Amino acid sequence: MIGRLLKSLALAGTLWLAGCADQFVPESEWPEASPAIWEVSNAQGEKGWLFGTVHALPPDLIWGTPMLDDAFSQSGVLVVEVTNLDAEYGQTLIETLSRTPGQPPLSTRVEPAERDELRALMQAADMDDDDFTDIETWAAALTLSGAVRTGDPRNGVDRAMIAAADEIVGLESYGRQMNMFDTLSEAAQSDLLYGVARVHAQGGSDAMLSAWVSGDAETMGEHVNSALDFSPELRRVLLTDRNRRWTAQISALIDEGRAPFVAVGTGHLVGSESVVEMLGEQGFTVRRIQ
């Protein structure tokens, strides 16, 4: 069985501090923690849990709860998107895949009506066209998104859970994730770039972090749908196809009695065509418990 979340003091201030004195809990202006958790069971009573994560968080955002700790402690295996979160490896992989000389100016790789928002994003990131002369559009989008986000990937939910788990299963490899972006059509890469610019123009990630930590799945679902509905290719490649593959893997783990605790990006658990919906369609009972 996976041990309690609080296996080391290194996690203090990030997860629920059961029985800990108030002075050890950092002050936070974020909403009280109640991120969404679902319990999944099959007809034989075998269980699993789904928890929507955020891959990068500000240090003062407290997200652990007693319910989360309890569900995690009952589980048999932690299931995450990728088990290898080595930042150096990831950066090397992105650089290898994304460098193609002779790229057009980044500010021209979206539609004319979208360029003001892209320029505002580039300005906020303290970057310009010269920074992307040999960088493919998908990698430019990821770079700009990382440059302006509120959180730090070293403070991601998945990292904390991986550090606390005894047994871990990855749903896909980091290489597969990057190849997924690298093989997008140029039109879809342009949509991805504009999507990042549009999110920034609408107030960045703070509103979504507040919705996530407070368990506002409806707002999160609306965000996912609005971010991908304008690009059928992005929705299929980044969301629907992956959700279908993951659902097959998760359902097998539940049926095998492995009691998986599934911690994946919240966008995969909310909105239409989510893992939650797909498991329900396969006959599993899915019940939100937080």
Side-chain angles (χ1 to χ4, degrees):
M1 296 293 285
I2 294 176
R4 300 290 290 180
L5 282 177
L6 300 179
K7 285 192 173 181
S8 73
L9 291 178
L11 298 180
T14 304
L15 307 180
W16 173 253
L17 305 181
C20 190
D22 289 345
Q23 62 264 31
F24 291 102
V25 181
E27 291 186 4
S28 173
E29 296 182 358
W30 296 96
E32 182 178 354
S34 186
I37 306 171
W38 291 263
E39 180 185 85
V40 186
S41 58
N42 64 11
Q44 290 72 43
E46 303 289 354
K47 291 183 179 181
W49 294 265
L50 305 175
F51 177 53
T53 68
V54 174
H55 302 311
L57 292 173
D60 64 334
L61 194 155
I62 309 303
W63 52 271
T65 69
M67 179 64 75
L68 174 59
D69 194 19
D70 182 61
F72 196 95
S73 68
Q74 293 181 59
S75 61
V77 59
L78 173 66
V79 180
V80 293
E81 294 179 32
V82 174
T83 58
N84 179 13
L85 297 178
D86 185 305
E88 185 175 345
Y89 166 74
Q91 187 60 38
T92 299
L93 184 60
I94 291 174
E95 290 179 1
T96 300
L97 290 173
S98 69
R99 291 197 176 275
T100 302
Q103 295 291 310
L106 188 65
S107 58
T108 67
R109 295 189 222 170
V110 297
E111 296 295 328
E114 302 167 350
R115 291 175 184 172
D116 284 347
E117 288 170 310
L118 176 56
R119 291 190 185 99
L121 170 64
M122 293 167 68
Q123 184 177 10
D126 195 24
M127 296 178 180
D128 57 34
D129 284 337
D130 291 340
D131 293 302
F132 302 100
T133 55
D134 62 348
I135 302 297
E136 295 175 17
T137 306
W138 67 269
L142 297 185
T143 298
L144 288 166
S145 177
V148 299
R149 66 184 162 207
T150 301
D152 185 338
R154 293 172 296 182
N155 192 35
V157 173
D158 39 7
R159 286 182 182 275
M161 290 194 154
I162 287 172
D166 295 328
E167 185 179 359
I168 309 165
V169 169
L171 293 168
E172 56 194 19
S173 68
Y174 197 81
R176 181 169 187 167
Q177 283 192 345
M178 292 303 102
N179 275 290
M180 175 181 62
F181 286 105
D182 189 45
T183 55
L184 288 169
S185 69
E186 186 56 42
Q189 292 185 46
S190 175
D191 289 338
L192 178 66
L193 179 60
Y194 174 59
V196 172
R198 186 171 65 170
V199 168
H200 177 71
Q202 292 173 347
S205 60
D206 283 8
M208 288 303 101
L209 285 176
S210 292
W212 170 75
V213 75
S214 62
D216 186 352
E218 182 177 354
T219 295
M220 293 296 297
E222 291 172 354
H223 170 70
V224 171
N225 287 334
S226 66
L228 294 177
D229 278 351
F230 71 97
S231 177
E233 182 180 349
L234 282 183
R235 184 175 189 88
R236 175 181 59 79
V237 174
L238 301 185
L239 190 71
T240 310
D241 286 355
R242 296 170 78 198
N243 287 355
R244 190 169 292 112
R245 291 195 299 269
W246 294 1
T247 297
Q249 294 169 267
I250 294 164
S251 62
L253 288 168
I254 295 172
D255 287 340
E256 292 166 8
R258 301 284 300 279
F261 187 98
V262 181
V264 297
T266 302
H268 296 280
L269 304 182
V270 298
S272 58
E273 300 178 304
S274 67
V275 171
V276 169
E277 285 191 354
M278 291 181 181
L279 284 169
E281 290 168 358
Q282 289 192 8
F284 288 86
T285 299
V286 186
R287 179 173 65 95
R288 182 169 173 179
I289 58 175
Q290 175 173 286

